[in-house]
Amino acid sequence: AEGMNQHLRFRERQALPYFEKAVAIDPGFASAYAKLAVIHGNLGRTDLREKYGQMALQHAGRMTPRERLY
Protein backbone atom coordinates (compact mmCIF):
# COMPACT_ATOMS: atom_id res chain seq x y z
CA ALA A 1 0.00 0.00 0.00
CA GLU A 2 2.82 2.42 0.79
CA GLY A 3 4.43 1.67 -2.58
CA MET A 4 1.21 2.69 -4.31
CA ASN A 5 0.99 5.78 -2.11
CA GLN A 6 4.46 6.86 -3.23
CA HIS A 7 3.87 5.93 -6.87
CA LEU A 8 0.62 7.92 -7.04
CA ARG A 9 2.53 10.93 -5.73
CA PHE A 10 5.17 10.54 -8.48
CA ARG A 11 7.80 9.49 -5.93
CA GLU A 12 9.00 6.59 -8.03
CA ARG A 13 12.36 6.09 -6.35
CA GLN A 14 10.70 5.97 -2.93
CA ALA A 15 8.11 3.47 -4.19
CA LEU A 16 10.64 0.95 -5.53
CA PRO A 17 11.73 -0.62 -2.22
CA TYR A 18 8.14 -1.36 -1.24
CA PHE A 19 7.39 -3.25 -4.45
CA GLU A 20 10.77 -5.00 -4.34
CA LYS A 21 10.00 -6.15 -0.80
CA ALA A 22 6.56 -7.34 -1.92
CA VAL A 23 7.99 -9.61 -4.63
CA ALA A 24 10.70 -10.83 -2.26
CA ILE A 25 7.97 -11.95 0.14
CA ASP A 26 5.71 -13.30 -2.62
CA PRO A 27 7.61 -14.11 -5.84
CA GLY A 28 4.31 -14.68 -7.64
CA PHE A 29 2.87 -11.22 -6.90
CA ALA A 30 2.08 -10.25 -10.49
CA SER A 31 0.63 -6.83 -9.68
CA ALA A 32 3.79 -5.81 -7.84
CA TYR A 33 5.87 -6.88 -10.85
CA ALA A 34 3.59 -4.82 -13.10
CA LYS A 35 4.08 -1.76 -10.90
CA LEU A 36 7.84 -2.32 -10.90
CA ALA A 37 7.71 -2.37 -14.71
CA VAL A 38 5.76 0.89 -14.80
CA ILE A 39 8.02 2.61 -12.30
CA HIS A 40 11.22 1.54 -14.06
CA GLY A 41 9.71 2.68 -17.36
CA ASN A 42 8.94 6.07 -15.81
CA LEU A 43 12.54 6.27 -14.65
CA GLY A 44 13.83 5.49 -18.15
CA ARG A 45 15.14 2.03 -17.29
CA THR A 46 13.75 0.13 -20.25
CA ASP A 47 15.73 -3.04 -19.55
CA LEU A 48 14.19 -3.36 -16.08
CA ARG A 49 10.78 -2.35 -17.43
CA GLU A 50 10.94 -5.30 -19.83
CA LYS A 51 12.22 -7.68 -17.16
CA TYR A 52 9.47 -6.88 -14.67
CA GLY A 53 6.83 -6.74 -17.38
CA GLN A 54 7.73 -10.29 -18.37
CA MET A 55 7.60 -11.39 -14.74
CA ALA A 56 4.12 -9.88 -14.41
CA LEU A 57 2.98 -11.77 -17.50
CA GLN A 58 4.40 -15.04 -16.17
CA HIS A 59 2.24 -14.69 -13.07
CA ALA A 60 -0.81 -13.07 -14.70
CA GLY A 61 -2.97 -16.02 -13.66
CA ARG A 62 -2.88 -14.67 -10.12
CA MET A 63 -4.27 -11.29 -11.20
CA THR A 64 -7.90 -10.28 -11.16
CA PRO A 65 -9.49 -9.63 -14.56
CA ARG A 66 -9.29 -5.88 -13.88
CA GLU A 67 -5.56 -6.08 -13.05
CA ARG A 68 -4.91 -8.05 -16.25
CA LEU A 69 -6.55 -5.31 -18.32
CA TYR A 70 -4.21 -2.77 -16.76
Side-chain angles (χ1 to χ4, degrees), residues 9-60:
R9 287 171 173 68
F10 305 103
R11 297 176 185 156
E12 305 293 44
R13 292 190 200 311
Q14 291 87 347
L16 280 174
Y18 294 103
F19 290 110
E20 290 167 346
K21 185 176 181 180
V23 297
I25 292 168
D26 180 0
F29 194 172
S31 296
Y33 285 121
K35 286 298 179 189
L36 282 167
V38 169
I39 291 169
H40 281 295
N42 291 346
L43 294 173
R45 300 176 184 155
T46 55
D47 57 330
L48 292 174
R49 180 192 68 203
E50 294 299 318
K51 173 187 170 182
Y52 288 117
Q54 288 298 317
M55 297 292 287
L57 288 174
Q58 288 174 8
H59 301 287

